[in-house]
Amino acid sequence: MTIKASRLRLLLGDQLNASHSWFREQDDDTLYVIAELHQEASYVPHHVQKVCAFFAAMSAFAQALQQAGHRVLHLTLDDTAQCPDLPALITHLIEQHGVSAFEYQLPDEYRLRDQLSVFASSLAIPSNAVESEHFYLSDQEIPRDFKQGKRHRMEAFYRKMRVRFDVLMEGDNPEGGQWNYDADNRNKLKAKDIDDVPEPLLFGNDVTDILARIERHEIKVIGQSESNLLWPITRTQANELLAFFCQHCLPNFGRFQDAMTGQTDDEGKRKQWSLYHSRLSFALNSKILSPQHVVDMAVYHYQTRPDDISLAQVEGFVRQIIGWREFIRGIYWANMPDYASLNSLSAKRDLPSWFWTGNTNMACMKHAIQQSLDYAYAHHIQRLMITGNFCLISGIAPEQVDEWYLGIYIDAIEWVELPNTRGMSQFADGGIVGSKAYAASGNYVKKMSDYCGNCHYKVAKTTEDDACPLNALYWHFMDKHQDDFGGNPRTKMVYANWNKKTDEQQGLVLERAERVLKGIEGL
């Protein structure tokens, strides 16, 4: 017999916030629903570890709520298979439990927020949407700082956030006299640094049953599956990872946050994928951890361990959370839904098939893609300046780039993925997010990594058949888009160097680029 409930509250897979005001009181007449859905598992081909992580975290959160005395209905794919979408499931549950009021937290993806808004407005019973109570800025505050179509700059926003929330401040001034230590945080990992890189803290969450469900329901997934999931799925585990980061990684986080290496691994150690990064993005984006808690803990360690952690290290980390993460969210909500169709550079080429396999002779791309397939993770420079840069200077269609990023990364939810990819990485938004296109030749990869040393291609060459493809592609991209970027002060020197070349020299470079693009599947 189904037990009736007067109120149904929906919890999505990225709304696992145990501190939400909903949970301050117990009410046996309120039913919380957490459900695995084909709709959410299939809107793009997701990495199998991403699906497992969300489903496992949802299950763990449901158990935690039950243990706290709340009434919870946790549904798996087996239970929801007959429901074509989320509204169909809720409709069924409302009828089944005799529900007289429906409530939900505002989704952080436009498609879900729109879907639930339309559905709620059609109900004959009262409905109510509330904030997720996760971010520094509430939904209502976003329009104060972000306007549709307007070009915004993160640095100005970041400074306002530091002042407002009193983070690393001395009165009205930034601690140490500088807002930004980015210039100090661009070190390459040298040979002597490799042994000091910490082995990552990994978890062993058994997801055997989830993998079986994924296969049973024919959910299309990508990437390497693991029966013991290494990602944190509970608040306890996420806090362990946060403590590990603060203790072992934060002392060198800023210094090496842009560095990349392919030299740290052997048969017993797998650490080049993690380096000094926190790997907290899944726990943050599923709302297991709050950004304020993460920032507070990092600042606490900096303040109590001044001999270990310099200001430059903690500022670089704080900027990612209180600055970039909140900034990107503001950009997303100020510009959706139109933002998802922007293509200012008219990029149209198909994504190479090897993005799904890692089978390429380009060492930098092979490392970044294979790591993404193995761990559902790559750090921000690998995403922006390796895979993202290749897509940008090759003219890959932004909707295909979006789908790849949204599917392959464990932390990828559209609000954070879309502005980072279509805006920051691909410049498809025409400069709403960034002041320039983040295009680079092979020289950048050589500067920030050791990928080039064993590559099939030669980073010092440009026009030869064995030349690094990035070199000719970079100049081809800049030449093609001179009208777009020629007046930008940040690229003035680039065009000055290009225009110094003779017509013959330019022609050889562009011919090499055309050969690369024609044979892009075989790189």
Side-chain angles (χ1 to χ4, degrees):
M1 178 179 175
T2 300
I3 301 175
K4 301 298 182 181
S6 64
R7 179 167 57 187
L8 187 154
R9 283 177 168 173
L10 175 68
L11 289 168
L12 298 174
D14 64 341
Q15 294 177 339
L16 310 181
N17 177 11
S19 300
H20 195 278
S21 59
W22 267 1
F23 310 125
R24 291 174 188 164
E25 296 181 357
Q26 299 174 18
D27 180 2
D28 291 340
D29 215 19
T30 296
L31 178 65
Y32 291 96
V33 174
I34 301 176
E36 300 173 1
L37 286 167
H38 284 70
Q39 168 188 304
E40 294 307 289
S42 304
Y43 61 88
V44 296
H46 293 289
H47 197 295
V48 63
Q49 291 181 41
K50 179 183 181 182
V51 180
C52 286
F54 273 101
F55 283 4
M58 290 159 64
S59 176
F61 192 64
Q63 293 176 34
L65 288 181
Q66 288 174 332
Q67 291 171 1
H70 298 286
R71 186 178 165 198
V72 183
L73 179 63
H74 175 237
L75 303 174
T76 71
L77 290 176
D78 294 336
D79 304 310
T80 65
Q82 303 307 312
C83 296
D85 55 23
L86 181 56
L89 173 63
I90 301 170
T91 299
H92 168 70
L93 294 176
I94 287 174
E95 294 175 353
Q96 184 181 42
H97 293 274
V99 171
S100 56
F102 170 61
E103 295 181 356
Y104 64 97
Q105 295 178 24
L106 287 168
D108 287 309
E109 286 194 337
Y110 180 88
R111 63 181 181 85
L112 279 170
R113 190 173 292 196
D114 183 61
Q115 183 184 49
L116 282 173
S117 176
V118 172
F119 169 73
S121 66
S122 71
L123 290 174
I125 61 174
S127 63
N128 185 41
V130 301
E131 294 258 358
S132 66
E133 302 175 8
H134 171 77
F135 297 94
Y136 276 90
L137 294 185
S138 68
D139 282 69
Q140 285 74 23
E141 290 176 297
I142 289 175
R144 301 177 193 174
D145 291 296
F146 299 92
K147 306 297 180 185
Q148 183 177 8
K150 181 180 177 181
R151 296 186 176 191
H152 294 82
R153 295 297 169 254
M154 197 279 284
E155 185 65 26
F157 171 79
Y158 168 57
R159 295 182 184 189
K160 288 173 62 177
M161 294 288 284
R162 287 266 299 273
V163 172
R164 175 177 171 182
F165 294 99
D166 193 23
V167 178
L168 297 176
M169 298 294 296
E170 294 174 340
D172 295 332
N173 299 310
E175 184 172 345
Q178 289 181 227
W179 291 101
N180 189 316
Y181 290 85
D182 196 36
D184 299 331
N185 293 340
R186 297 170 181 166
N187 290 19
K188 180 178 181 175
L189 283 162
K190 299 178 181 178
K192 63 182 179 61
D193 302 314
I194 297 298
D195 289 341
D196 295 331
V197 175
E199 290 190 57
L201 172 64
L202 308 179
F203 300 93
N205 295 299
D206 185 0
V207 292
T208 306
D209 290 346
I210 295 176
L211 289 171
R213 282 204 299 279
I214 291 171
E215 183 175 1
R216 186 161 62 248
H217 290 273
E218 300 181 341
I219 302 297
K220 183 180 179 181
V221 291
I222 58 176
Q224 177 66 39
S225 64
E226 297 289 346
S227 58
N228 291 312
L229 186 73
L230 63 89
W231 294 94
I233 62 168
T234 66
R235 188 156 60 164
T236 297
Q237 290 183 347
N239 274 309
E240 288 178 16
L241 187 57
L242 173 58
F244 177 89
F245 166 72
C246 291
Q247 182 66 38
H248 300 286
C249 301
L250 187 55
N252 280 307
F253 170 78
R255 187 173 293 111
F256 296 121
Q257 66 174 314
D258 288 1
M260 298 168 286
T261 180
Q263 303 297 321
T264 67
D265 287 4
D266 56 33
E267 290 186 4
K269 296 179 180 179
R270 296 289 182 269
K271 56 186 184 179
Q272 68 189 24
W273 69 283
S274 56
L275 300 178
Y276 289 97
H277 294 274
S278 73
R279 297 179 292 114
L280 291 168
S281 50
F282 170 73
L284 277 165
N285 293 353
S286 59
K287 302 183 180 62
I288 295 172
L289 290 183
S290 80
Q292 183 170 347
H293 174 62
V294 170
V295 168
D296 288 349
M297 283 295 293
V299 172
Y300 170 79
H301 275 260
Y302 156 69
Q303 291 173 338
T304 56
R305 298 164 55 203
D307 293 338
D308 297 330
I309 304 171
S310 70
L311 178 57
Q313 313 310 309
V314 73
E315 186 278 319
F317 182 69
V318 165
R319 182 163 14 107
Q320 288 193 355
I321 308 296
I322 200 173
W324 192 251
R325 188 169 184 266
E326 297 283 329
F327 176 76
I328 283 296
R329 175 173 173 258
I331 292 290
Y332 178 81
W333 284 112
N335 290 281
M336 287 297 285
D338 295 341
Y339 197 90
S341 61
L342 297 179
N343 188 2
S344 70
L345 299 181
S346 301
K348 299 177 181 177
R349 188 166 281 103
D350 287 335
L351 191 74
S353 61
W354 42 263
F355 263 72
W356 306 97
T357 65
N359 294 329
T360 172
N361 290 319
M362 297 178 67
C364 59
M365 294 294 289
K366 186 178 185 66
H367 273 282
I369 292 173
Q370 192 61 58
Q371 174 183 308
S372 302
L373 291 167
D374 287 347
Y375 298 103
Y377 174 83
H379 71 68
H380 64 282
I381 292 299
Q382 291 174 305
R383 300 188 200 194
L384 175 66
M385 299 306 300
I386 302 298
T387 50
N389 174 59
F390 178 87
C391 291
L392 172 68
I393 62 179
S394 299
I396 306 299
E399 63 271 16
Q400 294 188 31
V401 184
D402 281 339
E403 180 175 310
W404 187 79
Y405 276 87
L406 187 58
I408 202 166
Y409 291 121
I410 196 163
D411 52 20
I413 302 172
E414 192 184 68
W415 70 266
V416 68
E417 176 276 324
L418 188 62
N420 268 302
T421 302
R422 195 170 286 248
M424 181 71 167
S425 173
Q426 301 304 296
F427 205 78
D429 66 359
I432 292 176
V433 168
S435 60
K436 71 164 189 172
Y438 280 84
S441 66
N443 188 54
Y444 176 87
V445 180
K446 180 182 178 182
K447 178 182 177 182
M448 294 309 303
S449 78
D450 49 29
Y451 292 153
C452 300
N454 297 317
C455 186
H456 169 81
Y457 297 102
K458 304 299 183 285
V459 71
K461 296 182 179 181
T462 300
T463 59
E464 297 85 349
D465 288 341
D466 64 345
C468 172
L470 298 178
N471 293 334
L473 289 176
Y474 170 75
W475 288 116
H476 181 272
F477 173 83
M478 298 306 292
D479 180 74
K480 180 179 180 180
H481 295 290
Q482 190 157 354
D483 289 344
D484 297 300
F485 305 128
N488 190 324
R490 300 185 69 181
T491 54
K492 184 177 180 180
M493 186 62 69
V494 171
Y495 284 109
N497 290 334
W498 176 242
N499 292 326
K500 286 179 183 177
K501 297 180 185 293
T502 65
D503 289 347
E504 181 180 5
Q505 289 173 326
Q506 289 185 358
L508 289 173
V509 173
L510 298 178
E511 287 173 10
R512 164 62 175 162
E514 290 296 338
R515 294 198 304 274
V516 169
L517 292 172
K518 185 176 180 180
I520 197 168
E521 282 289 344
L523 288 178

